[in-house]
Amino acid sequence: MNRSIVEQRTERTQWFLHDRFGMFIHWGLYAIPARDEWVRSQEKMSLEDYQVFFDEFNPDRYDPRAWARLAKQAGMKYAVMTAKHHDGFCLFDSQLTDYKSTNTQAKRDLVREFLDAFRAEGLKVGLYYSLLDWYHPDYPAYGDLHHPMRDNPEFERNPATFDRYLDYMHGQVRELLTDYGKLDIMWFDFSYEHLQGEAWRANELMEMIRSLQPQIIVDNRLEASGSIGGSIYSNDPSFYSGDFASPEQIIPPKGVVNEAGESIPWEACITLNNHWSYSSSDRMYKTARMIIRKLVECVSKNGNLLLNVGPNARGEIPDESIAILEEIGSWMRRNSDSVYGCGEAGIEKPEWGRYTKRGDKLYAHLFEENVGAINLLGLAGRIKKARLLADGSEVLIGRPWNTALYPDDAFLSLSRPEHHTFPLPDEIDTVIELTLAEEELD
């Protein structure tokens, strides 16, 4: 195993593995048709037909300070926004293209405003950059798996000119890393078929990234996608394997480990409804209850959750998303100690919920009510103190009369007598902070 790559990755990702919860923002011209960020590809839309959205784009209600306050209120510690998506449209003032927000009616560098606003709220910031580009004349079109003109032979491209696109792509990444201050994350999307790894001149690109901003963390998609993982999963990761894995719309059943079974940094990117970008007809929103429990699940498996919002064409985060994030924030204000800095507990998943752990603190996340006291499998004599995390009130640890058959287990109760059934104070997730005895820390 290349220990230097792993050791450097460990140093760079310390903050990432502490903060655990971030906001993903998919936004661009596709917010106007409001059907999907892949709308150009899905409908095989010509550039001329798509141009109407460029001509109309004018997000007059864009207020990134409101976005940043919402993310902070929700308990998120970092945010990543699309600087350029697959359609090639740039939300930043790139000097390498005219296809950018400063040339629309908006006449604004939307990326710079995003970065300034989120930094002002004390949040770490990252930028998403698509390796694909359906606008650039040298990106593969006819015969490509995804390009809108994939079935049109008039758009056959000379493979020899692909390097011109790579020069352009590398140049834009250089712009983002030199003109926009310190970035915390570079989130590339994505590799596929023969376009992966060195097809992107990935060694050269990563050398540039590390020379310009050595502290930045990079995802694994220079050689991976949401469905394939790349060499970060192996015992011998490549130089451009990335600092964290990025499973998409799935939480891995056992977390993410390499071939040796060692945990590696990972982040599940998940949508709030069924689309990444704003979809005017999509009302299938996940509940705050579900998101909180999925965040806890990620943390219990040493992972992060990057939760997406899709602002509309006028620059507003939908009201449904705001309401969900506010409810998540209410829970996080009371229980975030069980998330930040926490990870896998090394204890079998309990029937009633999940565990997270930080130092001598073991957090029992109770999702289900129980008949009588709640069983803490194998923890008899190993708990010094138990408190309800939300308000600090005492939780009873003991051995009710009907538990003699389970001498190795501890039992907690929120009421007396301890064998009575009781309602959980928080039906979403009641968190009990257990302080472990010193021998348990060894």
Side-chain angles (χ1 to χ4, degrees):
M1 180 182 295
N2 191 328
R3 284 291 172 189
S4 62
I5 289 177
V6 174
E7 289 166 2
Q8 291 170 25
R9 183 178 75 198
T10 299
E11 293 174 6
R12 284 191 292 263
T13 56
Q14 285 183 2
W15 71 264
F16 180 74
L17 297 180
H18 175 275
D19 289 356
R20 292 301 188 198
F21 191 26
M23 175 181 279
F24 214 179
I25 303 166
H26 276 68
W27 192 40
L29 300 182
Y30 39 78
I32 300 176
R35 294 190 290 278
D36 196 276
E37 73 281 359
W38 281 70
V39 63
R40 238 205 105 194
S41 174
Q42 292 168 344
E43 301 179 13
K44 298 181 181 179
M45 193 180 296
S46 71
L47 190 58
E48 291 74 22
D49 289 340
Y50 200 66
Q51 179 67 27
V52 66
F53 307 129
F54 180 92
D55 295 338
E56 291 179 2
F57 189 67
N58 186 19
D60 57 318
R61 294 178 181 169
Y62 174 48
D63 181 2
R65 293 169 298 180
W67 293 10
R69 289 191 294 268
L70 178 64
K72 186 174 183 178
Q73 180 184 0
M76 293 159 161
K77 292 290 190 178
Y78 61 98
V80 178
M81 187 170 82
T82 50
K84 185 198 82 168
H85 207 268
H86 310 329
D87 60 1
F89 177 69
C90 297
L91 295 180
F92 66 105
D93 190 20
S94 172
Q95 301 308 298
L96 302 178
T97 184
D98 293 330
Y99 202 51
K100 55 187 179 180
S101 59
T102 49
N103 284 345
T104 66
Q105 293 184 58
K107 301 188 185 305
R108 299 165 68 177
D109 187 327
L110 304 171
V111 161
R112 189 174 301 280
E113 293 181 33
F114 157 75
L115 294 172
D116 289 346
F118 278 72
R119 286 172 180 146
E121 290 295 330
L123 302 178
K124 287 186 165 55
V125 290
L127 295 176
Y128 166 113
Y129 185 90
S130 173
L131 302 170
L132 290 66
D133 195 312
W134 302 328
Y135 182 82
H136 197 281
D138 295 304
Y139 192 87
Y142 177 62
D144 180 69
L145 183 63
H146 301 298
H147 198 285
M149 298 295 106
R150 57 191 174 273
D151 297 328
N152 189 337
E154 294 181 10
F155 285 81
E156 187 168 7
R157 301 269 164 84
N158 181 357
T161 68
F162 184 56
D163 260 342
R164 292 199 302 232
Y165 170 68
L166 295 180
D167 289 341
Y168 168 81
M169 184 260 282
H170 284 221
Q172 286 201 320
V173 173
R174 179 179 291 275
E175 286 182 321
L176 293 171
L177 294 175
T178 55
D179 298 344
Y180 289 85
K182 177 179 178 290
L183 300 178
D184 300 291
I185 302 173
M186 179 57 70
W187 217 103
F188 290 115
D189 197 22
F190 59 91
S191 294
Y192 63 104
E193 294 191 319
H194 65 284
L195 290 174
Q196 54 183 282
E198 273 306 290
W200 305 118
R201 301 198 322 233
N203 267 299
E204 175 190 336
L205 181 61
M206 191 62 79
E207 287 278 8
M208 177 184 69
I209 292 169
R210 296 298 179 215
S211 68
L212 293 174
Q213 298 210 24
Q215 86 297 331
I216 199 170
I217 64 173
V218 183
D219 70 340
N220 63 326
R221 296 198 179 189
L222 285 174
E223 58 178 15
S225 67
S227 59
I228 57 174
S231 68
I232 193 172
Y233 285 76
S234 76
N235 291 338
D236 188 24
S238 70
F239 175 61
Y240 48 79
S241 60
D243 296 298
F244 63 95
S246 56
E248 181 174 331
Q249 299 287 52
I250 189 172
I251 298 175
K254 300 292 184 181
V256 178
V257 298
N258 62 17
E259 293 168 333
E262 299 165 331
S263 180
I264 60 176
W266 64 274
E267 169 191 78
C269 51
I270 305 292
T271 54
L272 253 180
N273 53 9
N274 287 325
H275 289 80
W276 292 104
S277 63
Y278 179 71
S279 175
S280 57
S281 62
D282 185 354
R283 294 291 179 264
M284 294 297 294
Y285 283 88
K286 300 172 180 67
T287 64
R289 171 194 179 107
M290 179 180 182
I291 294 298
I292 289 166
R293 292 186 176 190
K294 293 306 168 185
L295 170 61
V296 169
E297 179 180 349
C298 287
V299 176
S300 76
K301 298 174 179 178
N302 288 331
N304 288 25
L305 177 62
L306 186 64
L307 183 63
N308 184 76
V309 296
N312 64 28
R314 301 193 69 176
E316 299 171 303
I317 293 176
D319 289 343
E320 297 95 331
S321 298
I322 292 173
I324 295 165
L325 292 175
E326 288 176 343
E327 188 174 351
I328 293 170
S330 177
W331 183 90
M332 286 289 285
R333 281 192 297 278
R334 300 187 299 273
N335 297 289
S336 62
D337 283 352
S338 67
V339 172
Y340 303 142
C342 292
E344 183 179 358
I347 302 174
E348 181 182 348
K349 179 188 177 301
E351 292 183 348
W352 37 257
R354 294 189 178 272
Y355 285 118
T356 58
K357 188 172 185 290
R358 184 187 66 251
D360 68 342
K361 305 298 184 186
L362 178 66
Y363 296 97
H365 295 262
L366 308 182
F367 297 165
E368 295 183 14
E369 294 181 341
N370 199 53
V371 174
I374 288 180
N375 179 291
L376 304 175
L377 193 67
L379 292 182
R382 301 163 75 179
I383 299 171
K384 291 169 57 178
K385 183 173 65 174
R387 299 289 184 266
L388 187 65
L389 182 58
D391 63 10
S393 59
E394 182 184 31
V395 175
L396 302 172
I397 297 290
R399 181 165 298 285
W401 65 268
N402 57 352
T403 62
L405 292 175
Y406 315 102
D408 296 330
D409 303 344
F411 293 84
L412 69 81
S413 177
L414 298 175
S415 68
R416 284 197 186 277
E418 292 92 329
H419 62 274
H420 281 187
T421 299
F422 52 86
L424 294 177
D426 190 330
E427 63 180 11
I428 290 178
D429 177 4
T430 295
V431 186
I432 310 298
E433 182 182 73
L434 306 170
T435 303
L436 300 178
E438 290 186 6
E439 66 248 31
E440 173 66 11
L441 304 179
D442 297 335

